Amino acid sequence: MIKSHKQLTASLLVSAAIVAGLGVSAPGNAAAASSPSNSVMAVAAGQTAVIEASVRLRSTPSTSGEVVKYLQKGDQVQIVAQPNSYWYQVKAADGSVGYTSTDDKYISVISSSVGSPTAPSAQTGTIKYGVNLRTTPSTSGKVLRLLKKGEQVQLLAQPNSSWYQIQTSDGSIGYISSSDQYTSFAGNGGTGTVTPTPTPPAPIPPTSTPGASTQIESVISAGMSYLGTPYEFGSSRNDTSTFDCSDFIRQIFMDAANLKLPADSRQQGDWVKTNSKVVTSTSGLKRGDLLFFMDYKGNSASAYEGIDKSKARISHVAIYLGDGQILHTYSVASGGVKVDKLSASWTNRFLFGGSVIR
């Protein structure tokens, strides 16, 4: 009996150690289960969590990662992975995927559901042709960077037939087009919804991989093809027979970069502020940057003195060509889409600018 009692005691101690190691708490000890010491334990993919306080969702597991969005208190997210003790990779309700702190003052895990059924297992791939890595499975998603030919990526999921969610070798996670002209995946026992088919002989790609500068030139070329197109305030976004300023900018980015910007100049300005580095001096503009202007007050600089341009209303948008020239459309009398000098009149009205493609 003494030996049996010792064995029982030892068994209980081992069980207690295992329970403690797994972070399992007895009923009524929920607070202990969410203590900081538990935030460092590995969490299984597929678990649901609740945001406890507003926290940034970042593009990489680092405080230097770009902010994809803010998660708000009460938001529910799905744990995708835990790369280390400091960061969770999570998927928000809108499909955004990124990294957030494991600190339990920001997030608490509430279930251990089965992992995402669309997450393939151990499928790796190679970029065949330059493609944008985006924060969301949409052409309006923010471009994290351009993936170059030859880069290795891991397939995480396929939210729909048009997009893959992937992870790059530097840990960045985002979405790319599922078109086989961009990637070739080799399944290593993967069982997700993505089942790569044998890749047919690929056409010989261009000698250079299209980067941001190539895309910018394509956008500008698309814009120049519309020179002389008549101006119409509030023009239809469904045809290209007439343009107002924001419709023109929106159309050329759709034509050349498959990027759908917001429909009006104020929303486009907000988009640039959210997704790019804002430039407040015309001397800092680069070819392909968008420029945003306030209402016309007069030709002299004195007409704009005392105006807080950080609060001024955007009334016009153009694209910068470099060498003090802009491409835009702003009135019927001006002749529609045209190239103009960035004159003193335009410079006085200038509020800020920034890149769409970087």
Side-chain angles (χ1 to χ4, degrees):
M1 289 297 292
I2 293 174
K3 181 178 180 181
S4 175
H5 177 72
K6 287 181 178 180
Q7 288 176 333
L8 178 60
T9 302
S11 178
L12 289 171
L13 288 172
V14 170
S15 297
I18 292 172
V19 168
L22 292 174
V24 178
S25 59
N29 287 340
S34 61
S35 65
S37 63
N38 286 318
S39 66
V40 299
M41 68 180 183
V43 173
Q47 289 185 285
T48 301
V50 174
I51 302 303
E52 299 292 345
S54 180
V55 63
R56 294 175 178 89
L57 183 68
R58 295 185 181 275
S59 60
T60 58
S62 166
T63 53
S64 62
E66 293 187 55
V67 177
V68 177
K69 61 179 291 184
Y70 278 83
L71 300 174
Q72 303 299 326
K73 181 178 179 180
D75 286 354
Q76 288 200 9
V77 297
Q78 184 180 36
I79 305 292
V80 176
Q82 185 177 358
N84 56 48
S85 61
Y86 302 105
W87 296 91
Y88 289 145
Q89 183 198 5
V90 303
K91 182 176 182 180
D94 65 358
S96 300
V97 175
Y99 296 88
T100 191
S101 170
T102 59
D103 193 319
D104 61 8
K105 71 180 178 181
Y106 295 117
I107 189 170
S108 61
V109 178
I110 61 174
S111 76
S112 54
S113 57
V114 179
S116 170
T118 61
S121 171
Q123 292 194 43
T124 58
T126 303
I127 300 301
K128 294 163 56 180
Y129 194 87
V131 62
N132 285 324
L133 179 68
R134 298 182 182 274
T135 55
T136 58
S138 166
T139 54
S140 61
K142 179 182 177 182
V143 176
L144 295 174
R145 69 179 180 89
L146 182 76
L147 301 182
K148 297 181 179 180
K149 179 183 177 182
E151 284 196 52
Q152 298 292 306
V153 298
Q154 182 177 12
L155 184 59
L156 300 179
Q158 185 176 16
N160 56 50
S161 61
S162 301
W163 296 91
Y164 290 148
Q165 182 198 13
I166 59 99
Q167 182 170 12
T168 66
S169 57
D170 65 5
S172 298
I173 290 180
Y175 297 88
I176 61 171
S177 169
S178 62
S179 172
D180 61 7
Q181 77 179 92
Y182 296 115
T183 50
S184 174
F185 282 101
N188 298 322
T191 58
T193 59
V194 179
T195 305
T197 54
T199 305
I204 299 174
T207 55
S208 62
T209 299
S213 60
T214 303
Q215 285 188 306
I216 288 167
E217 293 308 315
S218 296
V219 170
I220 290 173
S221 178
M224 297 296 281
S225 72
Y226 289 115
L227 285 173
T229 301
Y231 177 86
E232 180 188 10
F233 179 75
S235 57
S236 170
R237 269 51 178 167
N238 296 320
D239 68 63
T240 58
S241 60
T242 60
F243 292 120
D244 61 16
C245 65
S246 54
D247 184 19
F248 170 64
I249 294 298
R250 180 175 180 267
Q251 186 64 47
I252 64 176
F253 277 93
M254 286 176 60
D255 286 353
N258 198 27
L259 176 61
K260 191 174 182 179
L261 292 173
D264 68 66
S265 59
R266 287 176 289 285
Q267 292 175 342
Q268 289 171 359
D270 289 340
W271 190 97
V272 167
K273 284 182 177 179
T274 301
N275 293 277
S276 185
K277 182 179 179 181
V278 169
V279 176
T280 55
S281 171
T282 56
S283 63
L285 293 168
K286 306 184 300 299
R287 182 171 169 86
D289 283 357
L290 295 188
L291 304 85
F292 298 93
F293 302 91
M294 63 183 292
D295 289 336
Y296 176 75
K297 305 290 184 183
N299 287 326
S300 65
S302 60
Y304 300 86
E305 290 179 357
I307 295 175
D308 184 352
K309 290 191 173 182
S310 68
K311 298 179 181 178
R313 177 178 177 272
I314 294 171
S315 61
H316 185 62
V317 60
I319 187 168
Y320 190 59
L321 301 180
D323 299 323
Q325 293 188 315
I326 57 177
L327 176 64
H328 63 161
T329 183
Y330 63 93
S331 73
V332 174
S334 68
V337 177
K338 63 182 298 189
V339 175
D340 265 331
K341 287 187 65 65
L342 189 57
S343 62
S345 175
W346 285 114
T347 302
N348 290 335
R349 295 174 59 186
F350 177 71
L351 298 175
F352 66 92
S355 311
V356 172
I357 296 172
R358 292 177 290 165

